[in-house]
């Protein structure tokens, strides 16, 4: 005969068994592998973007003490769909509201470096910096951060200068070095990844797929794919965020500009946009200098191609050396107490070109 204790135990086992068989994921995913386990949080459910928000807990920001939700148009910081806009929340924004922003480089936005190459400075002024083919230049040099670029290019017959493009970035911080480069390829295929990555001199690969991520083993650096291939975001928390695309010179580009691109090289290059969080008043570099509050931009306004000089000041001997005349990178001497050049809200502005050729770009802080 069963005792009351045995009957209670059997009843408990029966209820547990029924519960485990009905434990489907309410968000539409696979059933949990553990009986009775809680479903994954909404932001981890593949294929769905759930509303997210940030609480501003830094007392030195304009929005301190406020919770800022992502809008319905872009509910997630890292949307599941690679072409969807992500939610950007800045606790220093004037209205304490989130905005929707593409996670790819915006070539008409503050901190952009695209095309041949055309920059949008921290002061909102568009300019070109041609450099020289197969040489390296510092575009940002601060006490705790150095960013160099390597140019590729060619001189079409009858031209007086090279057409150049950014082929690689070199990022230096602390004692670490990251390189992001475009592979040389004859024919472009959107389904083939042409990103070349290395950390402290060692190549690494990120599995193809949107949101696939690599994290450095000995620093806070993270590299995340923002498309299945050829697009990444490099994040060094509190210092810089870099959006990168690898793109070719297309036949249409070649026809319009008469680059005279050969058949064995489509000149794959980088489109880049930088978002800086902390820059000192002494920041240097082709792009970096434009973030200084007192900087007087010397380029001519209103001309078809305003040129920023300074090749002699910013030329470096390699992609990962800070040895230009105006380079100030010295991580051991970094002083975190130095004031920012611009508030974070000023560093994330987007600008809109009024013309398809990129002229007439206007940005206001």
């Amino acid at each position: 005969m069963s005792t009351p204790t045995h009957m209670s135990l059997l009843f408990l086992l029966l209820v547990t068994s029924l519960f485990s068989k009905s434990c489907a994921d309410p968000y539409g995913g696979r059933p949990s592998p553990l009986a009775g386990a809680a479903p994954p949080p909404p932001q981890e459910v593949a294929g769905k973007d759930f509303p997210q928000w940030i609480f501003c807990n830094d007392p030195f920001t304009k929005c301190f003490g406020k919770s800022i939700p992502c809008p319905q148009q872009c509910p997630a910081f890292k949307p599941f769909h690679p072409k969807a806009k992500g939610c950007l929340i800045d606790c220093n924004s004037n209205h304490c509201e989130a905005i929707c922003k593409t996670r790819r480089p915006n070539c008409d936005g503050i901190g952009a470096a695209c095309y041949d190459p055309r920059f949008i400075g921290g002061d909102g002024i568009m300019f070109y910096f041609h450099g020289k083919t197969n040489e390296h230049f510092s575009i940002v040099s601060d006490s705790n951060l150095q960013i160099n670029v390597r140019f590729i290019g060619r001189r079409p017959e009858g031209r007086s200068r090279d057409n150049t493009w950014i082929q690689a970035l070199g990022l230096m911080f602390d004692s670490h070095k990251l390189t992001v480069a475009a592979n040389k390829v004859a024919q472009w295929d959107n389904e083939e990844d042409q990103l070349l990555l290395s950390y402290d001199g060692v190549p690494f690969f990120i599995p193809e797929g949107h949101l696939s991520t690599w994290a450095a083993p000995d620093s806070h650096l993270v590299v995340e794919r923002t498309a299945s291939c050829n697009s990444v975001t490099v994040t060094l928390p509190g210092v810089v965020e870099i959006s990168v695309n690898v793109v070719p010179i297309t036949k249409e580009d070649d026809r319009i500009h008469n680059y005279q691109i050969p058949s064995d090289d489509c000149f794959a290059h980088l489109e880049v946009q930088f978002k800086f969080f902390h820059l000192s008043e002494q920041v240097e570099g082709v792009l970096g200098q434009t973030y200084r509050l007192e900087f007087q931009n010397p380029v001519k306004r209103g001309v078809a191609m305003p040129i920023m000089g300074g090749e002699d000041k910013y030329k470096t001997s390699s992609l990962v050396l800070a040895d230009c005349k105006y380079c100030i990178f010295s991580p051991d001497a970094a002083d975190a107490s130095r004031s920012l050049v611009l508030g974070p809200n000023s560093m994330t502005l987007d600008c809109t070109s009024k013309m398809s050729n990129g002229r007439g770009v206007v940005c206001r802080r």
Side-chain angles (χ1 to χ4, degrees):
M1 180 178 293
S2 299
T3 65
T5 301
H6 290 157
M7 292 294 291
S8 298
L9 180 60
L10 287 173
F11 177 76
L12 179 61
L13 289 173
L14 177 62
V15 170
T16 302
S17 175
L18 291 171
F19 178 81
S20 66
K21 290 179 181 179
S22 62
C23 189
D25 183 347
Y27 301 108
R30 296 179 179 178
S32 169
L34 299 177
Q43 65 268 26
E44 294 183 5
V45 179
K48 297 192 177 183
D49 292 327
F50 287 80
Q52 296 177 315
W53 56 276
I54 278 181
F55 177 74
C56 297
N57 59 2
D58 185 345
F60 296 100
T61 59
K62 294 180 180 178
C63 307
F64 173 61
K66 295 185 178 181
S67 295
I68 305 177
C70 291
Q72 185 178 3
Q73 296 84 349
C74 55
F77 301 123
K78 299 178 181 181
F80 175 76
H81 195 285
K83 293 185 179 180
K85 290 186 176 182
C87 172
L88 177 64
I89 295 178
D90 183 354
C91 288
N92 260 312
S93 63
N94 291 327
H95 302 291
C96 298
E97 294 177 350
I99 62 172
C100 297
K101 185 179 184 299
T102 177
R103 301 195 72 211
R104 312 281 187 87
N106 173 11
C107 290
D108 292 325
I110 292 282
C114 304
Y115 314 133
D116 178 18
R118 192 197 74 177
F119 292 81
I120 307 292
D123 53 5
I125 296 175
M126 180 268 288
F127 64 90
Y128 289 80
F129 179 83
H130 294 305
K132 294 183 180 178
T133 300
N134 298 325
E135 291 191 357
H136 308 86
F137 297 90
S138 166
I139 59 170
V140 177
S141 187
D142 211 347
S143 60
N144 66 334
L145 177 70
Q146 177 80 23
I147 303 174
N148 294 346
V149 295
R150 177 168 60 235
F151 288 123
I152 54 172
R154 61 179 279 103
R155 181 171 299 185
E157 186 177 352
R159 303 278 179 89
S160 60
R161 68 165 182 86
D162 293 349
N163 291 117
T164 54
W165 299 274
I166 296 173
Q167 183 268 334
L169 288 176
L171 171 68
M172 287 162 274
F173 65 98
D174 298 335
S175 59
H176 302 295
K177 300 174 181 179
L178 173 80
T179 65
V180 181
N183 191 25
K184 181 178 179 179
V185 60
Q187 301 297 323
W188 184 258
D189 183 346
N190 286 327
E191 302 303 319
E192 292 290 332
D193 191 55
Q194 302 298 345
L195 269 170
L196 302 175
L197 304 160
S198 76
Y199 181 70
D200 289 343
V202 180
F204 67 91
F205 176 75
I206 307 176
E208 292 186 17
H210 179 230
L211 301 183
S212 181
T213 303
W214 174 90
D218 52 359
S219 72
H220 297 295
L221 184 74
V222 174
V223 185
E224 179 184 61
R225 288 193 185 273
T226 49
S228 295
C229 57
N230 293 315
S231 297
V232 295
T233 293
V234 177
T235 303
L236 187 59
V239 180
V240 65
E241 182 178 282
I242 311 172
S243 301
V244 183
N245 266 349
V246 182
V247 295
I249 300 297
T250 65
K251 292 182 179 180
E252 182 66 8
D253 293 333
D254 193 22
R255 184 190 67 80
I256 293 173
H257 300 285
N258 191 27
Y259 290 133
Q260 300 172 27
I261 298 297
S263 60
D264 63 344
D265 190 353
C266 68
F267 282 82
H269 60 282
L270 305 182
E271 292 179 339
V272 188
Q273 187 179 20
F274 301 92
K275 176 185 175 184
F276 299 104
F277 297 94
H278 291 277
L279 291 174
S280 76
E281 294 178 348
Q282 290 77 38
V283 62
E284 271 291 354
V286 175
L287 177 64
Q289 62 183 334
T290 67
Y291 284 84
R292 297 201 303 261
L293 287 176
E294 81 288 355
F295 180 71
Q296 298 295 318
N297 203 310
V299 303
K300 293 182 180 180
R301 312 288 181 87
V303 300
M305 186 171 284
I307 304 296
M308 178 76 76
E311 283 87 348
D312 59 327
K313 297 187 295 185
Y314 299 120
K315 182 180 177 181
T316 64
S317 58
S318 90
L319 190 62
V320 288
L321 283 177
D323 57 359
C324 71
K325 291 180 181 178
Y326 278 43
C327 287
I328 64 171
F329 177 61
S330 179
D332 294 336
D335 182 0
S337 66
R338 290 194 295 179
S339 62
L340 300 183
V341 176
L342 298 175
N345 57 313
S346 298
M347 296 188 190
T348 58
L349 294 179
D350 283 341
C351 313
T352 301
S353 172
K354 303 301 182 184
M355 299 175 66
S356 60
N357 63 5
R359 301 175 194 170
V361 174
V362 178
C363 308
R364 291 183 175 87
R365 295 175 186 170

